[in-house]
């Protein structure tokens, strides 16, 4: 399998610091984006811990059988989650820090995704775009009937997260997998992109820049900033060259 | 550009992207089913059995699904142009024969029903109830508590049943109580049936996987941390094995009888059953290190206590084997009156501040329901007292993440209904039908 990857991040036009973190490594088949939760101190610390924690765990692994992948991802997410919580307990200035996580692992002829929060992974294939990850926010959970409106405290925003890393001991990551096909592009991003750029526009930009992958993240980020850049924006793209 | 579709199976695995004809072939091969989701380009994800939404967004797929469903009845909606000597006419093919077959089947069913309800012939005897494998006959075995026959029957039908249940929301809803009962009667899993499907898709403060095997792994990897329940260090209950031990048994008792469960109250009870079973077997097999055996027995006592309380059983004596923090928690939950709660605090002194704070939370909650016990209505003074107690109720428990929104609404409803507990129960019952507030 051969994968090409590219990634970039930007603070945006409104925020003063960048709480997003990312990493990619096409040799090991890893791509990860984490968005520190706004409104809490230490979001940038949390997102960095999430990225390095996941990266370090996967780089150390020599081989994973297909049936080992999901349990390994689950337990790694749990461990990294606890590391974030412990770090917050040591430093009172960043207690309660949190982050989203979107982690991709390319193994064999499939990609496995571990997801928490509202950062997203999309699949672009032959001019079509699909959002692969289900947002872990109140709006989506109510829409899907996984939560009752009556369970929510008044004045809670619908975009508020239901799941993330670092906030509670319970860290239930969604795990997805999909068979790869040459030419596919997997786009992993923080909500700084999806909040500013429509899916239609994202698809259009990918279509125009798929032949020049290294430029694609910056073009997408520039589009988000052009539309207001209200949040930090991070994009990692992974193109399947050969399965 | 030919349209492509992606299918999301069991909210985990993607199939595709594929063209419509590839999707048809994949569907016919039962690679996915009606309760899975499909999406087109930049489209919303729609469950395949949501025909109404599917029709408005992906009519070509809704046609595939409804043709397939209707095709089973022998009624075809296809029309075919038939050329007759220079004339072009349309003739519906298959519908006449289809209707005939439909009426014959309908007539036979009517005859059987008529005979069954006359006293001349018992259809059940004819069809031998003991060999039937529909949910109703399985339900009768469960009602009769004939678990041996239940196990045998389920084992027989399982290989054919599982693929059907995975692919049909209706069948899932019909069979899930029995699949759960079978699973948690054994080792908390069913081969070929995803743990998430067994658990259900709601939001749970419980692990995804509560199989016996997963609990053995959890206990195995946590020996050295069990001492946290002595109450001398902070209540770090992030891990699943630790969190279940602080689950509020009164909260679980109020939610027994959750839909989709038989004999076992809900997923929380199922998890506790498996956790208990796994820990006991580790003790019996000598896997627990000798120095931790006492603690292990204490944890078993706590889980056993929780299971008893879910069913409303009063526990006469809280086991002394429980580590201090769990003993205190159990004592508070089990107390019969305010004096009993005070006694709990005295007899199980906890030195750690955070544990003390947590136990205080538990006390505040329990005092509310002790206060309401055996009352039908509250007078003005009692309402004032209730308002005070309500202010101390935390909606989300910081350790278990259990939501007490229903309990809070109940208290508010009592206040709004001038102290009438009956009226409050009726009102809250509409919004939280799965929660029982009977005292």
């Amino acid at each position: 399998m051969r994968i090409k990857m590219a990634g970039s991040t930007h603070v945006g036009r409104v925020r003063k610091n960048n709480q997003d973190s990312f990493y990619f490594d096409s040799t090991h088949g890893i791509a990860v984006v984490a968005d520190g939760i706004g409104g809490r101190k230490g979001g940038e610390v949390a997102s960095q811990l999430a990225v390095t924690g996941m990266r370090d765990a996967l780089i150390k692994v020599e081989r994973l059988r297909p049936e080992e992948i999901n349990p390994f991802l689950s337990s790694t997410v749990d461990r990294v989650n606890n590391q974030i919580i412990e770090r917050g307990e040591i430093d009172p200035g960043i207690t309660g820090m949190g982050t989203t996580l979107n982690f991709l692992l390319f193994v064999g002829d499939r990609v496995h995704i571990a997801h928490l929060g509202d950062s997203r992974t999309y699949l672009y294939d032959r001019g079509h775009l699909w959002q692969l990850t289900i947002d872990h926010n109140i709006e989506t959970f109510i829409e899907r009937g996984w939560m009752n409106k009556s369970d929510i405290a008044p004045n809670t925003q619908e975009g508020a997260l239901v799941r993330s890393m670092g906030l509670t001991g319970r860290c239930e990551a969604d795990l997805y997998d999909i068979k790869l096909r040459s030419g596919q592009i997997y786009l992993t991003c923080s909500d700084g992109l999806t909040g500013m750029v429509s899916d239609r526009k994202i698809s259009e930009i990918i279509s125009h820049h798929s032949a020049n992958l290294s430029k694609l993240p910056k073009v997408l980020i520039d589009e988000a900033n052009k539309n207001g850049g209200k949040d930090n924006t991070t994009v990692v793209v992974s193109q399947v060259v050969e399965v | 550009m030919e349209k492509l579709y992606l299918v999301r199976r069991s909210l985990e695995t993607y199939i595709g992207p594929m063209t419509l004809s590839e999707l048809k072939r994949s569907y016919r091969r039962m690679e996915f089913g009606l309760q899975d989701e499909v999406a087109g380009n930049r489209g919303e994800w729609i469950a395949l059995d949501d025909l109404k939404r599917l029709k408005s967004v992906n009519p070509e797929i809704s046609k595939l699904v409804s043709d397939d469903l209707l095709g089973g009845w022998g009624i075809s909606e296809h029309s075919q142009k038939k050329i007759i000597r220079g004339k072009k006419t349309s003739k519906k093919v298959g519908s006449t024969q289809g209707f005939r077959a439909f009426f014959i089947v309908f007539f036979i069913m009517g005859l059987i029903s008529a005979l069954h309800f006359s006293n001349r012939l018992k259809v059940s005897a004819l069809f031998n109830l003991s060999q039937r494998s529909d949910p109703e006959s399985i339900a009768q075995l469960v009602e009769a508590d004939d678990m041996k026959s239940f196990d045998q029957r389920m084992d027989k039908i399982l290989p054919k049943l599982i693929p059907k249940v995975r692919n049909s929301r209706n069948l899932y809803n019909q069979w899930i109580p029995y699949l759960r009962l079978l699973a948690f009667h054994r080792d908390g899993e069913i081969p070929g049936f995803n743990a998430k499907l067994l658990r259900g898709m709601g939001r749970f403060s419980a692990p995804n996987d509560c199989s016996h095997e997963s609990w053995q792994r959890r206990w195995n990897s946590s020996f050295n941390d069990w001492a946290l329940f002595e109450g001398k260090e902070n209540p770090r209950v992030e891990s699943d094995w630790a969190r279940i031990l602080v689950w509020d048994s009164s909260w679980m008792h109020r939610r027994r009888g959750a839909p989709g469960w038989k004999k076992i109250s809900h997923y929380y009870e199922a998890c506790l059953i498996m956790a208990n079973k796994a820990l006991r077997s580790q003790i019996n097999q000598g896997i627990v290190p000798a120095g931790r055996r006492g603690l292990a027995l204490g944890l078993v006592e706590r889980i056993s206590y929780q299971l008893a309380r879910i069913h409303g059983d009063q526990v006469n004596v809280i086991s002394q084997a429980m580590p201090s923090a769990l003993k205190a928690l159990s004592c508070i939950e089990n107390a019969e009156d305010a004096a009993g709660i005070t006694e709990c605090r005295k007899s199980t002194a906890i030195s750690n501040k955070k544990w003390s704070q947590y136990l205080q939370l538990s006390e505040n909650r329990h005092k509310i329901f002790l206060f309401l016990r055996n009352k039908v209505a509250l007078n003005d003074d009692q309402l004032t007292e209730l308002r005070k107690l309500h202010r101390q109720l935390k909606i989300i428990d910081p350790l278990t993440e259990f939501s007490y929104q229903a309990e809070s609404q109940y208290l508010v409803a009592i206040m709004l209904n001038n102290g009438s507990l009956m009226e409050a129960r009726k009102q809250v019952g509409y919004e939280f039908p799965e929660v029982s507030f009977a005292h």
Side-chain angles (χ1 to χ4, degrees):
Chain A
M1 173 182 33
R2 232 170 16 106
I3 311 278
K4 267 187 350 195
M5 291 181 176
S8 188
T9 188
H10 195 274
V11 68
R13 295 177 62 191
V14 172
R15 299 283 168 95
K16 290 194 167 59
N17 63 334
N18 193 343
Q19 295 194 333
D20 286 359
S21 299
F22 73 101
Y23 175 80
F24 60 89
D25 177 350
S26 54
T27 310
H28 287 97
I30 296 170
V32 55
V33 167
D35 176 0
I37 290 172
R40 289 178 181 267
K41 295 179 192 177
E44 64 268 34
V45 175
S47 69
Q48 189 57 35
L49 283 171
V51 165
T52 52
M54 295 301 295
R55 177 201 68 195
D56 293 348
L58 268 299
I59 280 174
K60 283 179 196 154
V61 168
E62 282 192 9
R63 210 189 318 175
L64 277 173
R65 289 197 303 273
E67 65 273 17
E68 290 173 330
I69 293 173
N70 278 357
F72 181 76
L73 285 175
S74 263
S75 59
T76 303
V77 168
D78 277 344
R79 202 166 45 249
V80 172
N81 181 55
N82 284 331
Q83 286 167 2
I84 294 171
I85 293 171
E86 281 165 21
R87 177 68 195 274
E89 282 172 357
I90 294 168
D91 183 347
I94 51 174
T95 301
M97 59 180 175
T99 179
T100 69
L101 177 79
N102 237 264
F103 178 83
L104 275 64
L105 175 66
F106 293 84
V107 176
D109 63 352
R110 302 188 84 85
V111 61
H112 297 261
I113 304 169
H115 158 73
L116 276 158
D118 60 0
S119 298
R120 290 181 181 173
T121 293
Y122 288 88
L123 163 63
Y124 179 85
D125 187 347
R126 288 167 279 176
H128 292 65
L129 187 75
W130 290 274
Q131 181 184 338
L132 297 183
T133 51
I134 299 174
D135 292 340
H136 292 150
N137 56 31
I138 286 175
E139 184 186 352
T140 304
F141 270 51
I142 289 175
E143 210 174 273
R144 285 183 162 265
W146 294 343
M147 208 177 212
N148 293 322
K149 264 196 172 142
S150 48
D151 280 342
I152 300 152
N155 303 322
T156 305
Q157 289 185 7
E158 283 196 335
L161 292 183
V162 172
R163 293 196 219 153
S164 64
M165 292 183 92
L167 297 186
T168 69
R170 228 172 72 72
C171 196
E172 197 183 320
D174 280 350
L175 300 176
Y176 304 96
D177 67 279
I178 182 168
K179 195 163 177 180
L180 299 172
R181 188 183 172 280
S182 295
Q184 286 176 339
I185 293 176
Y186 290 85
L187 168 78
T188 303
C189 61
S190 60
D191 66 343
L193 178 73
T194 53
M196 292 284 112
V197 185
S198 67
D199 285 1
R200 189 191 59 76
K201 190 66 182 175
I202 290 174
S203 184
E204 198 182 293
I205 291 174
I206 297 176
S207 159
H208 288 145
H209 292 89
S210 56
N212 199 346
L213 197 79
S214 57
K215 290 208 158 93
L216 185 50
K218 190 172 182 305
V219 174
L220 287 163
I221 289 170
D222 286 345
E223 185 69 20
N225 286 338
K226 191 178 95 185
N227 294 339
K230 289 186 180 152
D231 197 356
N232 312 140
T233 303
T234 300
V235 174
V236 172
V237 287
S238 312
Q239 186 173 42
V240 183
V241 176
E242 189 189 319
V243 182
Chain B
M1 180 171 76
E2 191 173 6
K3 268 186 172 181
L4 297 176
Y5 304 91
L6 194 60
V7 168
R8 178 160 59 203
R9 193 180 63 198
S10 303
L11 294 175
E12 277 186 348
T13 300
Y14 288 96
I15 304 170
M18 47 193 159
T19 60
L20 184 62
S21 47
E22 287 168 339
L23 187 134
K24 268 188 206 174
R25 285 197 293 274
S26 180
Y27 177 67
R28 296 235 159 88
R29 285 193 301 261
M30 293 180 74
E31 287 169 359
F32 59 91
L34 290 176
Q35 63 177 354
D36 295 317
E37 298 173 317
V38 65
N41 182 25
R42 287 185 275 114
E44 55 178 305
W45 289 94
I46 304 173
L48 283 148
D49 60 1
D50 186 352
L51 283 179
K52 196 175 167 192
R53 256 173 89 199
L54 207 56
K55 201 170 181 180
S56 76
V57 177
N58 296 113
E60 66 282 13
I61 300 181
S62 80
K63 191 177 183 316
L64 156 73
V65 173
S66 56
D67 278 354
D68 199 58
L69 288 175
L70 289 172
W73 282 101
I75 297 170
S76 170
E77 289 300 298
H78 294 139
S79 48
Q80 188 180 35
K81 284 203 168 80
K82 189 174 174 180
I83 298 173
I84 304 174
R85 294 207 180 208
K87 274 190 195 172
K88 280 187 187 167
T89 57
S90 274
K91 186 184 177 203
K92 281 201 175 165
V93 173
S95 58
T96 309
Q97 286 172 320
F99 272 114
R100 204 174 283 155
F102 175 75
F103 278 115
I104 290 171
V105 166
F106 190 76
F107 174 73
I108 292 172
M109 281 171 63
L111 181 63
I112 291 169
S113 302
L115 288 171
H116 174 73
F117 286 112
S118 77
N119 283 317
R120 295 163 88 180
L121 192 64
K122 289 289 176 200
V123 177
S124 57
L126 253 191
F127 286 110
N128 193 352
L129 184 64
S130 65
Q131 296 308 312
R132 280 168 51 200
S133 53
D134 51 285
E136 290 74 28
S137 60
I138 299 290
Q140 286 174 15
L141 293 175
V142 172
E143 295 305 314
D145 215 17
D146 183 358
M147 296 310 291
K148 190 173 167 195
S149 300
F150 168 76
D151 276 355
Q152 283 168 354
R153 189 84 59 75
M154 290 297 289
D155 278 337
K156 212 170 161 187
I157 64 177
L158 220 49
K160 288 202 173 141
L161 181 64
I162 294 298
K164 286 182 187 170
V165 165
R166 274 208 310 257
N167 292 335
S168 161
R169 198 188 299 276
N170 276 341
L171 284 177
Y172 173 90
N173 289 336
Q174 281 175 37
W175 282 101
I176 194 62
Y178 308 107
L179 290 170
R180 284 169 172 162
L181 181 58
L182 181 73
F184 292 105
H185 205 224
R186 294 179 176 176
D187 284 337
E189 53 189 332
I190 293 181
F193 202 66
N194 185 303
K196 251 190 198 169
L197 286 176
L198 199 61
R199 185 190 75 160
M201 294 313 302
R203 192 174 170 224
F204 291 96
S205 298
N208 256 339
D209 182 354
C210 270
S211 63
H212 185 251
E213 194 201 323
S214 72
W215 277 110
Q216 291 205 310
R217 275 189 268 117
R218 288 183 189 113
W219 294 128
N220 233 340
S221 62
S222 61
F223 298 145
N224 294 331
D225 298 322
W226 291 349
L228 86 92
F229 287 107
E230 296 288 15
K232 293 180 186 140
E233 46 184 285
N234 285 347
R236 294 199 37 220
V237 298
E238 296 86 17
S239 307
D240 290 327
W241 69 267
R243 202 176 323 104
I244 63 159
L245 292 165
V246 291
W247 280 353
D248 176 2
S249 44
S250 303
W251 186 97
M252 291 189 283
H253 171 71
R254 284 191 288 274
R255 285 154 178 80
R256 66 197 182 285
W261 291 87
K262 298 267 182 207
K263 286 196 174 285
I264 299 173
S265 305
H266 36 52
Y267 186 64
Y268 298 99
E269 185 183 354
C271 282
L272 287 169
I273 290 170
M274 287 296 116
N276 198 18
K277 184 176 177 182
L279 188 50
R280 282 177 190 272
S281 82
Q282 297 220 318
I283 295 170
N284 294 338
Q285 289 169 38
I287 296 172
V288 173
R292 295 290 178 195
R293 201 182 143 78
L295 268 173
L297 289 169
L299 301 190
V300 163
E301 289 292 334
R302 166 64 181 171
I303 298 175
S304 304
Y305 162 81
Q306 287 169 302
L307 287 169
R309 292 283 294 158
I310 285 173
H311 289 276
D313 298 335
Q314 198 59 28
V315 173
N316 289 330
V317 176
I318 302 294
S319 167
Q320 294 302 307
M322 286 193 214
S324 303
L326 296 180
K327 202 174 0 178
L329 208 53
S330 307
C331 184
I332 291 167
E333 289 169 6
N334 199 48
E336 289 284 286
D337 50 38
I341 291 181
T342 310
E343 192 49 44
C344 290
R345 293 293 242 143
K346 277 195 206 148
S347 61
T348 52
I350 298 288
S351 56
N352 178 271
K353 190 177 167 193
K354 289 209 162 90
W355 267 120
S356 274
Q357 285 168 349
Y358 188 71
L359 292 170
Q360 185 62 56
L361 263 181
S362 177
E363 262 187 50
N364 294 344
R365 276 197 299 254
H366 195 59
K367 273 181 185 157
I368 294 172
F369 286 93
L370 282 179
F371 177 74
L372 295 174
R373 187 180 281 191
N374 299 326
K375 289 188 176 72
V376 173
L378 304 185
N379 60 32
D380 287 346
D381 288 341
Q382 289 167 331
L383 278 171
T384 305
E385 180 63 21
L386 187 70
R387 278 187 202 100
K388 245 185 5 201
L389 290 169
H390 181 236
R391 279 195 287 273
Q392 293 167 358
L393 176 67
K394 223 173 158 64
I395 301 293
I396 305 286
D397 185 284
L399 295 187
T400 63
E401 293 178 23
F402 279 179
S403 167
Y404 292 84
Q405 188 72 23
E407 282 80 352
S408 174
Q409 300 277 63
Y410 175 52
L411 302 185
V412 168
I414 293 173
M415 294 179 229
L416 291 175
N417 284 282
N418 296 318
S420 166
L421 274 69
M422 283 283 280
E423 285 304 315
R425 263 180 236 148
K426 235 193 283 177
Q427 192 176 313
V428 173
Y430 292 121
E431 216 178 333
F432 300 100
E434 73 284 0
V435 185
S436 161
F437 293 103
H439 305 289

